[in-house]
Amino acid sequence: LDGPTYLMIGDSVSIGIGKQLAPILQNHSWNVFHNPGNADNVNKGIHCLGDYLQIPNISKPLDVISFNFGLHEIAKDVEMLTASNYSTLLTSFTSRLLQYKKDHGTKLLWVTTTPVPNDPAWTQGGPCNDTSECIFPARYNSDVVTFNEIASPIIKAAGIPILDMYSFVVAKCGGP
C-alpha cells in the first residue's frame, strides 16, 4: 500500500471515531485500520497487541498508532479492573508500544476515555433493573475521571501526546 498507515487500538468508541475519521484520512492517501473487533480492556490489549500490529497485506511498519482503554475497565462486570491493576497493565502496554516506536519510528497517540452518563445505571433489584432501559453493565463517570487521571502520568512520562476526548465531548455535549 502507498501512503502512511494508521492503526487505531481501542473499544467501541474508537470504532465509531474510526468510521468518521477513516474517509477523511483516506482522502489524503492514508491507510486507516482498527484492531479487529473491540479491544475491550487493556488486559486483552496486552495479550493481543502482537496480533493488532500485524495488519494483513502490510509489510511496512505502521506510521501512527492511537490507543485508548478505560470504558471496559470501569464496567461493573467481569472486565472491571482495580485502579492499581489498570495502572500496572497500562504501563506494560505503553512500554510495549514504546518499544515498537523505538524499533520503527512510529508516532503514538493516547486518546482519553469519553464521559459516560451516570443515570440510569443497572443494578440488580435496584430502581433500574431492565437492561434494555439502563446502562449495562453499569459505569459511572467518576470512575472515568479516576481512570483518565491514572493514565495521564503514565502517558506523559512516556512522552506520548494526548488527545483529550473527554474534554472535547463535555465541551460539545455537556457533562454527564
Side-chain angles (χ1 to χ4, degrees), residues 43-109:
N43 187 35
K44 178 180 175 184
I46 287 171
H47 288 82
C48 297
L49 182 58
D51 292 334
Y52 296 163
L53 297 174
Q54 301 300 315
I55 307 295
N57 304 316
I58 301 287
S59 58
K60 65 179 186 170
L62 296 159
D63 294 293
V64 176
I65 299 172
S66 65
F67 64 111
N68 82 296
F69 294 101
L71 284 179
H72 287 258
E73 288 81 350
I74 66 167
K76 307 302 182 196
D77 66 0
V78 297
E79 289 188 275
M80 190 172 95
L81 295 177
T82 66
S84 176
N85 285 343
Y86 180 66
S87 177
T88 299
L89 293 169
L90 184 60
T91 298
S92 176
F93 186 88
T94 302
S95 294
R96 290 183 58 196
L97 280 181
L98 286 172
Q99 185 60 52
Y100 187 88
K101 174 186 176 178
K102 180 180 175 187
D103 293 346
H104 303 292
T106 301
K107 292 177 175 64
L108 302 175
L109 176 66

Side-chain angles (χ1 to χ4, degrees), residues 16 59 162 165:
S59 58
I162 298 172
M165 286 301 293

Side-chain angles (χ1 to χ4, degrees), residues 121-136:
W122 179 86
T123 52
Q124 188 171 5
C128 191
N129 57 19
D130 179 349
T131 59
S132 68
E133 297 178 11
C134 312
I135 297 171
F136 182 78

